[in-house]
């Protein structure tokens, strides 16, 4: 009898222990983790984690919401389209699927140029006939061999579709006060003609089966050092053009739903532009948001300027419309280089002395990951890369303004190289979908960069970036559930949490 009592007692302890274990298991957060790292992971699903001396606790708060995501993606340029035309059908499809399919990066927000840009094969305009105020000779024939097929094949590869906004680098020289492709201003007598240009562009692309979502008014209205196609505006000149010409014209033509984004240059001057755009109800009426670039600094996100822009117009869009590793020839099939502090930008040599500190050497992956996370944590709702495809020289580019794209090709040998920048972009574009909400995130250590968003389907994506040389342990919690994981040295992770 004594023996039976002991066994009953043991059985009771075992049952209680099992209950406690199951209770603990119920508190484990269910997640999928995808990692890209300097050690070689490329959006690889990982399930084994190490324990380290450093522990960062991250607590998610989906009840605290910020901006609604518009999307992530890259730009359709003539340079990229020209290169795709030179590749085999298999590699062309491989690249387009990699960017736009659900199995790939699943891009959702894209940009293209109206008329030529520096990443065109030559200078061209849709309005080549001088004095054609009514644009009777308007034609997008130049785009039909390369840009339009690229866009249409991307549309076919995408399951959810994507938004496209157009950006002009310049009007045709005959509309400008200097009669040149580079620099100068739009003559006031052509303001209505230039507004008509936007409307005709939408109709022409619509006839090709492509819907345009919106525009930026002008790429880099402050100019680009008189290097390639450009047209200058002051903040008030752009506001006047939108308020009294472009906005009313689109509205009159039944295109009032198209998005108009002002500015479209570096964040350092953002305040003066949003002050002009959103001065009052009349000036704000036709602006749907503001577009920004990152070239003012390698590392500075300019959070104060971003916060200021949001606070000035909380219901307007704030979209990073262009970014790239500029002034660099691509490094071919050497993943390690993209994680090393070797790259330089235009400002490394050319920035004014007082701005040199903003342009040190940097690691390309770091620049992308740090900037996107920093933007998402400061009200930016869309982030668009520049060229999707370039060659081994960083072109083609009529001005020889060499840059790096996430995908590099050698058209002579029909070879394709997906750089680590491609996977870096995919960590955001693939898992943070349009109409997601950026949510609250508390971290015990901000040196581990982190951001989070809840998708419309209820899933949550957390993106982490460890720029340091040692792994970091992480305790991640959501509501009453938690899990312990780690992120490798020099790595980006996307943690996907299923709908609860």
């Amino acid at each position: 009898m004594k023996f039976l009592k002991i066994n009953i007692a043991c059985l009771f302890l075992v049952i209680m222990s099992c209950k406690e274990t199951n209770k603990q298991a119920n508190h484990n957060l269910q997640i999928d983790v995808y990692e890209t790292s300097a050690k070689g992971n490329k959006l690889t699903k990982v399930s084994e984690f190490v324990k380290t001396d450093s522990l960062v606790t991250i607590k998610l708060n989906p009840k605290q919401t910020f901006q609604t995501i518009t999307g992530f993606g890259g730009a359709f340029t003539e340079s990229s389209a020209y290169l795709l035309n030179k590749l085999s059908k298999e590699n062309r499809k491989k690249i387009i699927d990699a960017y736009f399919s659900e199995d790939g990066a699943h891009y959702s927000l894209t940009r293209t140029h109206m008329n030529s840009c520096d990443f065109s094969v030559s200078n061209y305009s849709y309005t080549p006939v001088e004095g054609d105020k009514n644009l009777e000779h308007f034609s997008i024939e130049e785009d039909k061999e390369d840009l339009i097929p690229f866009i249409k094949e991307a549309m076919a590869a995408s399951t959810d579709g994507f938004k496209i906004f157009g950006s002009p680098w310049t009007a045709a020289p005959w509309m400008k006060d200097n009669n040149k492709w580079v620099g100068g201003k739009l003559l006031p007598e052509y303001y209505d003609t230039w507004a008509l240009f936007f409307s005709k562009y939408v109709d022409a692309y619509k006839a090709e089966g492509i819907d345009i979502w919106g525009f930026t008014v002008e790429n880099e209205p402050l100019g680009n050092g008189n290097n390639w196609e450009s047209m200058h505006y002051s903040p008030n000149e752009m506001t006047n053009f939108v308020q009294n010409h472009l906005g009313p014209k689109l509205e009159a033509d039944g295109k009032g739903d198209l998005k108009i984004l002002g500015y479209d240059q570096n964040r350092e001057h953002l305040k003066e532009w949003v002050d002009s755009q959103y001065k009052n109800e009349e000036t704000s009426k036709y602006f749907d948001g503001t577009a920004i670039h990152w070239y003012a600094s390698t590392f500075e996100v300019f959070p104060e300027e971003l916060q200021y822009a949001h606070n000035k117009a909380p219901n307007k869009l704030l979209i990073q419309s262009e970014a790239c590793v500029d002034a660099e020839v691509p490094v071919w099939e050497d993943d390690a280089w993209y994680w090393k502090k070797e790259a330089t930008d235009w400002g490394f040599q050319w920035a004014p002395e007082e701005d040199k500190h903003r342009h040190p050497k940097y690691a390309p992956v770091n620049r992308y990951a740090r900037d996107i996370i920093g933007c998402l944590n400061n009200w930016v709702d869309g982030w668009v890369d520049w060229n999707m495809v370039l060659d081994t020289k960083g072109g083609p580019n009529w001005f020889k303004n060499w840059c790096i794209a996430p995908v590099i090709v050698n058209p002579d040998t029909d070879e394709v190289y997906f750089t680590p920048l491609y996977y870096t972009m995919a960590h955001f574009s693939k898992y943070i979908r349009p109409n997601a909400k950026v949510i609250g995130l508390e971290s015990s250590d901000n040196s581990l960069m982190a951001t989070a968003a809840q998708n419309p389907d209820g899933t949550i994506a957390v993106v982490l970036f460890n720029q340091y040389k040692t792994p970091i342990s992480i305790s991640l919690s959501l509501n009453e559930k938690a899990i312990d994981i780690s992120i490798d040295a020099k790595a980006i992770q996307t943690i996907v949490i299923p709908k609860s």
Side-chain angles (χ1 to χ4, degrees), residues 220-275:
E220 298 183 348
L222 294 170
N224 52 50
N226 292 324
N227 292 319
W228 50 86
E229 294 98 327
S230 59
M231 188 165 74
H232 299 172
Y233 289 87
S234 70
N236 288 339
E237 286 169 343
M238 182 178 285
T239 297
N240 169 51
F241 173 67
V242 171
Q243 180 183 350
N244 298 307
H245 301 273
L246 180 59
K249 178 58 178 173
L250 293 177
E251 191 172 58
D253 289 353
K255 302 180 177 79
D257 59 335
L258 294 172
K259 306 299 181 187
I260 299 176
L261 306 176
Y263 189 34
D264 204 13
Q265 200 161 349
N266 296 339
R267 299 170 205 165
E268 63 178 335
H269 297 295
L270 187 52
K271 290 183 179 181
E272 60 199 272
W273 287 80
V274 295
D275 279 347

Side-chain angles (χ1 to χ4, degrees), residues 479-499:
N479 300 327
E480 299 301 318
K481 297 182 178 181
I483 193 166
D484 293 335
I485 58 172
S486 64
I487 183 171
D488 207 349
K490 293 186 179 181
I492 308 162
Q493 274 187 359
T494 300
I495 304 162
V496 180
I497 305 171
K499 181 180 179 181

Side-chain angles (χ1 to χ4, degrees), residues 161-426:
F162 51 86
K163 298 177 176 70
I164 307 172
F165 61 92
S167 298
W169 266 236
T170 184
W174 60 266
M175 294 190 204
K176 298 164 65 177
D177 60 5
N178 68 349
N179 199 33
K180 295 179 180 178
W181 289 103
V182 179
K185 293 191 175 187
L186 184 66
L187 289 165
E189 65 194 89
Y190 292 118
Y191 271 32
D192 286 335
T193 299
W194 190 232
L196 174 62
F197 175 95
F198 285 77
S199 184
K200 279 187 166 288
Y201 174 83
V202 173
D203 291 339
Y205 263 70
K206 181 75 172 179
E208 296 295 324
I210 299 169
D211 289 328
I212 299 298
W213 173 74
F215 307 102
T216 69
V217 183
E218 167 62 34
N219 176 73
E220 298 183 348
L222 294 170
N224 52 50
N226 292 324
N227 292 319
W228 50 86
E229 294 98 327
S230 59
M231 188 165 74
H232 299 172
Y233 289 87
S234 70
N236 288 339
E237 286 169 343
M238 182 178 285
T239 297
N240 169 51
F241 173 67
V242 171
Q243 180 183 350
N244 298 307
H245 301 273
L246 180 59
K249 178 58 178 173
L250 293 177
E251 191 172 58
D253 289 353
K255 302 180 177 79
D257 59 335
L258 294 172
K259 306 299 181 187
I260 299 176
L261 306 176
Y263 189 34
D264 204 13
Q265 200 161 349
N266 296 339
R267 299 170 205 165
E268 63 178 335
H269 297 295
L270 187 52
K271 290 183 179 181
E272 60 199 272
W273 287 80
V274 295
D275 279 347
S276 177
Q277 292 170 196
Y278 307 131
K279 184 177 180 179
N280 53 47
E281 189 174 341
E282 289 74 25
T283 62
S284 302
K285 179 179 178 182
Y286 294 110
F287 282 107
D288 295 282
T290 308
I292 49 174
H293 298 182
W294 76 354
Y295 303 107
S297 176
T298 298
F299 288 110
E300 180 59 58
V301 175
F302 292 94
E304 290 183 11
E305 284 77 1
L306 296 176
Q307 293 281 343
Y308 183 90
H310 168 74
N311 291 332
K312 189 77 178 179
N315 297 320
K316 303 286 188 178
L317 301 169
L318 187 54
I319 291 176
Q320 167 76 25
S321 56
E322 184 186 317
C324 74
V325 176
D326 64 321
E328 282 278 1
V329 174
V331 175
W332 177 260
E333 291 189 337
D334 181 6
D335 287 359
W337 182 86
Y338 292 83
W339 291 91
K340 291 178 181 175
K341 195 174 179 180
E342 298 293 336
T344 58
D345 64 13
W346 71 271
F348 187 75
Q349 291 184 324
W350 302 110
E353 198 60 40
E354 64 271 18
D355 292 336
K356 286 281 190 185
H357 67 281
R358 291 179 173 175
H359 301 277
K361 289 188 174 183
Y362 63 90
V365 167
N366 291 35
R367 188 170 189 189
Y368 271 68
R370 291 177 78 259
D371 196 84
I372 300 173
I373 292 174
C375 281
L376 292 176
N377 290 342
N378 286 283
W379 296 104
V380 172
D381 55 88
W383 206 98
V384 181
D385 189 27
W386 189 205
N387 297 277
M388 286 186 249
V389 184
L390 291 176
D391 64 21
T392 55
K393 292 180 180 178
N397 180 304
W398 72 264
F399 187 74
K400 299 184 179 180
N401 170 32
W402 312 128
C403 294
I404 296 176
V407 177
I408 305 299
V409 301
N410 185 336
D412 295 332
T413 58
D414 194 34
E415 290 180 280
V416 179
Y417 172 39
F418 288 85
T419 77
L421 299 179
Y422 164 80
Y423 300 99
T424 302
M425 283 297 303

